[in-house]
Amino acid sequence: MTSSPSTSLRYDVLTIRRPGLSRDVPSGDPSLQWVANSATLISGEHEAVLVDTFLTEPQARTLADWVEASGKRLKAIYITHGHGDHFFGIRTLRERFPDAKAYAVADVVEAMRRQSAPDMLDGFWRKLFPGEISKTLEVADVLQTPELELEGHRLIPIDAGHTDMSRSTCLHVPSIGLIVGGDVVYNGIHCYLGETTRESRQHWIETLDRLKKLEPKAVIAGHKIPENSDDPGIIDETQLYLRDFNRIELETTTARELFDAMLALYPHRANPGSLWGAAKVAKGA
């Protein structure tokens, strides 16, 4: 049972850049060929909940230092979805904060297990980031309750369905009007569409409509340009990007045509490698 909140919550965001996953980008501004992950610390007077971790062990140690510097007792880690760059740091965080349990909904936990299997871990992630990923990984426990609680405040997982992977969630904190969006929203960075279809992208657009109905005051993207604000307008921006990709996919023949047309619309977004990967998948290249 949730107790009456005694104090207001606050949130802080740590954003760290890293190389993107697709590195054979045919064109675009070389200064934008990177991606940034964000982790969000939601804090009360004494305790805190962390949403998502980072990919590499050095990044996870930086995250642990940042959480420790908050002076709050880390109560829990919530993982929005099962891509490795959002949960591979759990083990490093829990070594520093052994009382903090990591949680995710059941389908996300299953996706985390798949990402941690040798074919993905050694065959994909460790090839791209040799020597940087923790030797021992942990996946989250299945969240057995409908929501988390932090000093009397509700932290509510939102089922987003198929967005940039087959099952994603956001975390809604209604008392402060916050949505921690994971990869359901993007902020100044090309969306990862390599695991999507035209139909799933339409579902994604509809999911974003549901987020807008919550009338958030702040929305934190799992991938954002560090200096960008967390303005709720990024929901509309993500929807427009998805609509443009669906439209241009129908208007073009090759992956390069699709890539070039989208890049002309979004020349200042970081990580064009993600767009190139999506274009190749969309056109079967």
Side-chain angles (χ1 to χ4, degrees):
M1 182 175 180
T2 301
S3 59
S4 297
S6 57
T7 58
S8 181
L9 300 181
R10 61 169 288 170
Y11 72 91
D12 298 280
V13 182
L14 179 64
T15 309
I16 296 181
R17 296 189 187 195
R18 62 168 173 81
L21 303 181
S22 296
R23 300 175 186 177
D24 59 338
V25 187
S27 64
D29 184 348
S31 70
L32 293 174
Q33 291 181 14
W34 51 267
V35 67
N37 280 63
S38 68
T40 303
L41 190 70
I42 305 167
S43 303
E45 185 176 2
H46 303 291
E47 296 183 322
V49 171
L50 179 68
V51 186
D52 287 343
T53 73
F54 293 140
L55 173 65
T56 71
E57 196 164 17
Q59 291 173 344
R61 288 196 296 267
T62 297
L63 178 58
D65 291 343
W66 179 72
V67 172
E68 188 171 13
S70 74
K72 310 295 182 180
R73 172 184 170 269
L74 186 63
K75 179 179 181 179
I77 303 165
Y78 179 79
I79 303 299
T80 58
H81 65 291
H83 281 144
D85 56 328
H86 293 262
F87 78 89
F88 280 177
I90 288 176
R91 177 64 177 262
T92 301
L93 267 293
R94 293 197 65 248
E95 286 174 349
R96 186 79 65 90
F97 308 102
D99 293 335
K101 300 293 185 182
Y103 297 105
V105 302
D107 286 351
V108 170
V109 172
E110 183 56 36
M112 295 165 76
R113 292 193 180 106
R114 292 194 298 270
Q115 289 270 301
S116 303
D119 60 334
M120 279 298 297
L121 182 58
D122 298 322
F124 180 75
W125 290 108
R126 285 185 170 142
K127 283 186 176 180
L128 289 172
F129 299 91
E132 295 187 69
I133 294 174
S134 178
K135 293 180 180 179
T136 305
L137 299 178
E138 289 186 19
V139 301
D141 293 332
V142 174
L143 183 65
Q144 300 291 347
T145 56
E147 57 194 52
L148 296 165
E149 182 270 342
L150 178 61
E151 296 187 0
H153 296 263
R154 303 167 67 206
L155 281 59
I156 306 168
I158 298 173
D159 182 3
H162 192 152
T163 56
D164 81 338
M165 71 178 307
S166 60
R167 178 73 184 277
S168 292
T169 69
C170 304
L171 193 66
H172 182 214
V173 189
S175 65
I176 55 173
L178 174 67
I179 294 176
V180 186
D183 287 3
V184 180
V185 288
Y186 280 72
N187 188 347
I189 291 178
H190 287 283
C191 299
Y192 171 63
L193 304 179
E195 298 178 43
T196 70
T197 64
R198 190 177 305 116
E199 292 73 21
S200 74
R201 291 189 291 272
Q202 182 57 44
H203 167 83
W204 189 346
I205 291 166
E206 293 164 2
T207 294
L208 290 164
D209 280 331
R210 288 197 287 121
L211 295 189
K212 283 192 284 189
K213 289 179 181 178
L214 297 173
E215 299 182 348
K217 298 177 182 177
V219 180
I220 302 167
H223 298 287
K224 58 171 286 188
I225 290 179
E227 56 269 25
N228 281 10
S229 73
D230 301 311
D231 189 286
I234 66 172
I235 297 176
D236 289 317
E237 292 172 5
T238 304
Q239 285 184 311
L240 180 59
Y241 187 99
L242 295 170
R243 290 189 179 106
D244 283 336
F245 191 93
N246 272 359
R247 173 177 56 81
I248 294 172
E249 182 192 10
L250 293 173
E251 295 172 351
T252 55
T253 302
T254 67
R256 183 61 189 269
E257 289 174 348
L258 173 54
F259 173 80
D260 286 345
M262 281 293 291
L263 198 63
L265 284 180
Y266 298 96
H268 303 301
R269 286 204 171 212
N271 198 24
S274 187
L275 173 59
W276 178 232
K280 288 190 291 184
V281 169
K283 296 301 183 182

